[in-house]
Every structure is written in structure tokens, then in C-alpha cells.
């Protein structure tokens, strides 16, 4: 079982209204840290936001243990959540590859 857990928060800002925070972490019944031991800590997320003047990057280890992001708008939160879903899919693929190394796999359409 593998889950992406997101927690959204809104905080009052003195200037410019509400400020937003998004925390993410991956939960698994497998020991993912042990699974990836010895493998490079690769990026699972890297992009330049279209809603804010910032770049976001996230390594696999940061994603697995949990990360917190400060956001300026709801649009930026939506964009980040979509990208985190892509990072989650990327992480699932990495897990599958590591678990099936040195085995024949069949990819079907």
C-alpha cells in the first residue's frame, strides 16, 4: 500500500490576504528508505511555477519523509498538487523498477 498524504493550511497574512501552506508525505507499508539504499537520491519533481516567480524541486528522500511548501495563491496550490501527483506516480515507477530488477517483465498494451 502506497499513499500520498496532503495537508492544506491557510494562514492570515497582514499584507496581501491569506497565505497558504501545503505539506506532503508518502506513506507505505514497505521500508522505502531501505529499498532505495545505495541508489542516487534523484529528483522526482522540478518545475518553474506559472503562478508565482519560483522554481520548485524535490528529491525522492524529501518526498518520502515529507515536505512543506509555502504558497501565495490557490492557483499555485492547485498547480503544486498536480505536480505532486506526478511525483507520486514517478516514485511508484521507481519502486516498481527497483523491485523488479534482474527479472523479466512483460509490458502489454
Amino acid at each position: 500500500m502506497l499513499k500520498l498524504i496532503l495537508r492544506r493550511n491557510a494562514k492570515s497574512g497582514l499584507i496581501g490576504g491569506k497565505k497558504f501552506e501545503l505539506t506532503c508525505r508518502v506513506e507505505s507499508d514497505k521500508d522505502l528508505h531501505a529499498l532505495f539504499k545505495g541508489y542516487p537520491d534523484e529528483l522526482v519533481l522540478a518545475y518553474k511555477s506559472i503562478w508565482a516567480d519560483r522554481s520548485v524541486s524535490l528529491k525522492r528522500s524529501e518526498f518520502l519523509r515529507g515536505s512543506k511548501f509555502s504558497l501565495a495563491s490557490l492557483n499555485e496550490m492547485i498547480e503544486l498538487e498536480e505536480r505532486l501527483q506526478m511525483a507520486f506516480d514517478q516514485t511508484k515507477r521507481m519502486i516498481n523498477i527497483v523491485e523488479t530488477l534482474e527479472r523479466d517483465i512483460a509490458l502489454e498494451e
Side-chain angles (χ1 to χ4, degrees):
M1 177 183 73
L2 195 65
K3 288 193 250 183
L4 175 60
I5 308 298
L6 302 175
R7 177 178 292 261
R8 302 173 183 139
N9 289 309
K11 297 184 176 198
S12 296
L14 297 176
I15 300 172
K18 298 268 187 197
K19 302 294 179 193
F20 303 96
E21 259 183 14
L22 183 67
T23 305
C24 71
R25 73 180 187 282
V26 175
E27 287 187 356
S28 175
D29 53 357
K30 300 176 186 177
D31 185 356
L32 298 179
H33 298 289
L35 179 70
F36 288 113
K37 187 174 183 173
Y39 290 92
D41 191 14
E42 299 178 72
L43 287 174
V44 291
L45 176 68
Y47 74 98
K48 182 163 177 50
S49 175
I50 61 172
W51 299 104
D53 186 22
R54 78 178 89 211
S55 294
V56 178
S57 62
L58 188 64
K59 289 187 174 185
R60 184 182 58 235
S61 63
E62 298 166 330
F63 188 51
L64 294 177
R65 90 172 151 258
S67 295
K68 184 184 288 188
F69 301 92
S70 296
L71 308 160
S73 69
L74 292 173
N75 281 327
E76 190 180 359
M77 184 177 292
I78 291 167
E79 178 184 37
L80 179 59
E81 286 182 5
E82 288 173 352
R83 300 298 178 111
L84 288 170
Q85 180 61 52
M86 290 171 50
F88 185 61
D89 293 341
Q90 182 77 359
T91 303
K92 288 191 294 189
R93 295 278 317 269
M94 288 179 171
I95 291 167
N96 180 265
I97 290 169
V98 170
E99 289 179 333
T100 59
L101 286 174
E102 299 182 18
R103 291 187 215 162
D104 291 340
I105 59 170
L107 300 176
E108 297 180 28
E109 199 170 303

